Amino acid sequence: VQLQASGGGVVQAGGSLRLSCTQSGRVVSSHDMGWFRQAPGKERVFVAAVMWTVNSGYYDASVKGRFTISRDSANNTAYLQMDNLRPEDTAVYYCAADPSTKHLHVAGHESLWRSWGQGTLVTVSS
């Protein structure tokens, strides 16, 4: 599975951005997908994940209520709508797919995800 992420950019605090990540390649059935982020000098951490079959989202507490993850099954694409952005949301955002567990509420460690896309930079200015 190949993942192509896009949608990063520069936005002022309080603004919005939408990230996209498309699965391609030998996709027999679409995989659950997630987003992680890595701020400068910090580890990569979980942001959100979507259960593909029912379009149900799971979120880290730091983004719950501001970010919304969803998927478009027709286009094998997951989206991360980011609203009310804060300077601390500044990071490189990575999409991931095919976790080794179906229990997405405990899939917060990057080692559980088998496929990764390239990062896309999100910068939130104050």
Side-chain angles (χ1 to χ4, degrees), residues 34-56:
W35 289 93
F36 287 71
R37 66 186 180 186
Q38 186 168 22
K42 296 188 177 181
E43 295 182 347
R44 188 157 58 180
V45 297
F46 173 79
V47 176
V50 61
M51 184 170 288
W52 200 266
T53 53
V54 295
N55 198 21
S56 179

Side-chain angles (χ1 to χ4, degrees), residues 56-71:
S56 179
Y58 299 84
Y59 302 90
D60 181 77
S62 64
V63 305
K64 198 168 186 180
R66 300 187 298 121
F67 291 10
T68 304
I69 190 169
S70 62
R71 61 97 174 100

Side-chain angles (χ1 to χ4, degrees), residues 2 8 30 38 43 45 58 74 101 107 110 116 120:
Q2 287 82 49
S30 295
Q38 186 168 22
E43 295 182 347
V45 297
Y58 299 84
T101 175
E110 61 180 324
W116 290 87
T120 184

Side-chain angles (χ1 to χ4, degrees), residues 7-8 12 26 44 54 62 68 80-81 90 106:
Q12 289 188 331
R26 298 187 64 183
R44 188 157 58 180
V54 295
S62 64
T68 304
L80 185 67
Q81 176 67 39
T90 295
V106 292

